[in-house]
Amino acid sequence: MTMSSRLFRFACKKSELRLDITLQCGQSFRWREVNPGQWRGMIGNRVWTLSQDDTHIVCIQHPLEQDSSTRQEEKIKRTNNSGNKSRSCHKTRKTSERENNTEALLSTEKIEALMNDYFQLDVSLEKMYALWSKADQNFAYVSPQFPGVRMLNQDPVENVFSFICSSNNNIQRITMLVDRLCKLYGSPVATVDGTTWNSFPRVTSLAKSGVEETLREHGFGYRAKFISKSAQMILEKGGEEWLFSLRKLPYEECHAQLMTLNGIGAKVSDCICLMSMGHLGAIPVDTHVFQIAVRDYLPHLRSCKTVTDKVYKEIANHFRQIFGEYAGWAHSVLFSADLKKFDSLKNDESEEQNQKKKKKKK
């Protein structure tokens, strides 16, 4: 850590937040494990390095480059013009601190507010896990190996275009494309350990002529057209302010509006609803979720060869009936447990449980 960086440490048990799962399970694609147990990424166009022990999260804030303050001030204007961005959970959340600060380093109070907002720490996962475990035997079996899987509260612009990149893609390749998108159309924010981090592109940058051709040249394939056309459509609808305004809509309307954009189907729309629009009961149904549903909940769907609209709605509604208002969060735990990249966590936990059983027998 350089002398100009700022460290902030706050109490948070792993049962409330597991960085290694939450930051790798396909919600955000801007985090890298730079050292074992140490994660570096961006929240609100600032670079952070995060780590944790059993009881605390440690945040290292890396200072903005001097020439980035003007770009941050421009972002203030568009954020302030977007009006009141209400959230569709128990209460209306204030506009995130990550949207309206231009100083090189944030104060301790602002860091705390930022982390609480981004990780949605006002939701007690221990309580939610207990409720979900009572409601579902399968969740009770899976969840002890996957504590602290928390939904992030992301910037809608980044969320929309990141998930357009996710079409028929894996997490590793999506991460590569998002990084490439930022290098091509974002602006330098900070350089840490020799690596320059760029802001996520503005919609106006992605809507310019020639973007589709450039993205195709850089390996985006058919997604290049979706990114370019969606950016243009967002501008036609009112710009980034229109995108933020969708947070005020009921789930069904928000979901439908997002699907008017190029490259956004039902699943991607649900990802955006869940991860940046405040609709915590949204259930993105992809291949993994379909397989989970068939294996553990709805075996009669085994004969279905494709996920039709009817099947999609049946699966999503089934999860909502079981898990309630925060069904999207519970679904994310089951989804993470189904990813092969986390198999080692299951093996480690199983081994620990076996050792405990042996000790009890003795």
Side-chain angles (χ1 to χ4, degrees):
M1 182 179 69
T2 63
M3 291 296 292
S4 56
S5 297
R6 178 169 290 162
L7 185 146
F8 175 70
R9 190 169 182 263
F10 64 94
C12 185
K13 297 181 290 185
K14 285 188 175 181
S15 58
E16 287 294 335
L17 172 59
R18 275 281 294 261
L19 291 175
D20 56 344
I21 305 175
T22 300
L23 299 180
Q24 285 192 105
C25 68
Q27 296 186 60
S28 173
F29 305 97
R30 304 210 68 193
W31 292 93
R32 308 171 188 172
E33 190 174 18
V34 292
N35 291 303
Q38 190 176 60
W39 303 89
R40 184 167 296 149
M42 296 196 68
I43 307 174
N45 282 342
R46 294 176 182 274
V47 182
W48 303 84
T49 301
L50 306 180
S51 58
Q52 72 181 139
D53 55 30
D54 290 335
T55 57
H56 286 77
I57 301 287
V58 178
C59 314
I60 299 173
Q61 178 191 183
H62 301 285
L64 292 173
E65 293 181 353
Q66 290 183 349
D67 62 352
S68 69
S69 60
T70 301
R71 292 189 293 273
Q72 293 284 73
E73 288 169 359
E74 289 175 356
K75 192 168 185 178
I76 290 177
K77 293 178 183 178
R78 75 174 176 87
T79 302
N80 290 342
N81 289 336
S82 64
N84 179 33
K85 304 168 191 64
S86 62
R87 310 254 311 159
S88 302
C89 41
H90 291 303
K91 60 183 183 238
T92 299
R93 295 173 185 264
K94 65 179 181 178
T95 301
S96 169
E97 290 288 340
R98 67 181 183 273
E99 296 291 347
N100 52 14
N101 286 285
T102 61
E103 58 263 47
L105 288 170
L106 299 180
S107 66
T108 297
E109 292 76 15
K110 288 178 178 178
I111 296 173
E112 184 174 12
L114 177 66
M115 293 298 159
N116 273 303
D117 181 81
Y118 185 69
F119 289 109
Q120 306 195 72
L121 295 173
D122 56 326
V123 178
S124 170
L125 271 191
E126 286 188 345
K127 291 181 180 179
M128 298 309 297
Y129 270 54
L131 290 173
W132 297 330
S133 294
K134 288 181 180 178
D136 178 43
Q137 187 176 6
N138 182 54
F139 187 92
Y141 173 75
V142 170
S143 60
Q145 301 173 17
F146 288 84
V149 182
R150 184 171 284 279
M151 296 307 304
L152 305 175
N153 174 23
Q154 300 184 59
D155 179 87
V157 175
E158 179 175 335
N159 203 207
V160 164
F161 289 99
S162 294
F163 274 90
I164 289 177
C165 292
S166 74
S167 175
N168 295 316
N169 234 337
N170 57 50
I171 292 175
Q172 183 177 2
R173 180 164 169 75
I174 300 165
T175 301
M176 180 190 71
L177 291 179
V178 169
D179 183 59
R180 196 171 292 172
L181 194 66
C182 295
K183 287 179 179 176
L184 288 169
Y185 294 104
S187 302
V189 170
T191 300
V192 184
D193 295 339
T195 299
T196 298
W197 293 78
N198 284 26
S199 62
F200 199 86
R202 297 285 300 274
V203 171
T204 49
S205 298
L206 297 175
K208 292 178 180 178
S209 60
V211 168
E212 179 182 344
E213 292 75 15
T214 299
L215 293 180
R216 285 188 182 276
E217 291 172 1
H218 285 83
F220 283 76
Y222 64 85
R223 303 170 195 86
K225 180 179 180 180
F226 293 158
I227 291 170
S228 174
K229 294 296 182 184
S230 286
Q232 292 168 10
M233 290 177 73
I234 290 172
L235 286 187
E236 291 170 2
K237 291 173 181 288
E240 295 180 14
E241 289 76 17
W242 170 79
L243 198 57
F244 275 93
S245 75
L246 298 185
R247 286 178 163 177
K248 294 182 283 189
L249 298 178
Y251 164 67
E252 294 289 350
E253 291 181 43
C254 180
H255 189 263
Q257 285 293 316
L258 288 167
M259 285 182 64
T260 64
L261 300 176
N262 275 50
I264 295 183
K267 190 265 289 188
V268 168
S269 181
D270 271 322
C271 287
I272 299 164
C273 284
L274 176 61
M275 300 172 192
S276 64
M277 295 294 171
H279 294 293
L280 308 182
I283 305 290
V285 180
D286 65 357
T287 301
H288 286 292
V289 176
F290 173 73
Q291 291 171 347
I292 293 168
V294 169
R295 184 186 66 217
D296 300 324
Y297 297 95
L298 301 167
H300 67 276
L301 295 179
R302 189 171 288 112
S303 60
C304 298
K305 295 182 179 180
T306 59
V307 181
T308 62
D309 289 344
K310 182 181 178 181
V311 170
Y312 188 103
K313 289 178 181 178
E314 181 177 353
I315 293 171
N317 287 334
H318 187 77
F319 280 117
R320 280 189 280 266
Q321 287 171 4
I322 295 173
F323 299 114
E325 187 175 3
Y326 285 79
W329 288 51
H331 138 279
S332 188
V333 179
L334 299 175
F335 175 85
S336 298
D338 198 60
L339 293 176
K340 289 184 179 179
K341 69 187 301 176
F342 294 136
D343 280 351
S344 61
L345 298 181
K346 287 184 281 189
N347 293 337
D348 290 345
E349 291 288 341
S350 297
E351 183 60 26
E352 287 180 16
Q353 290 172 6
N354 288 335
Q355 291 298 327
K356 289 179 181 179
K357 286 180 181 178
K358 289 179 181 178
K359 288 180 180 179
K360 286 182 180 179
K361 287 180 180 179
K362 290 180 181 179

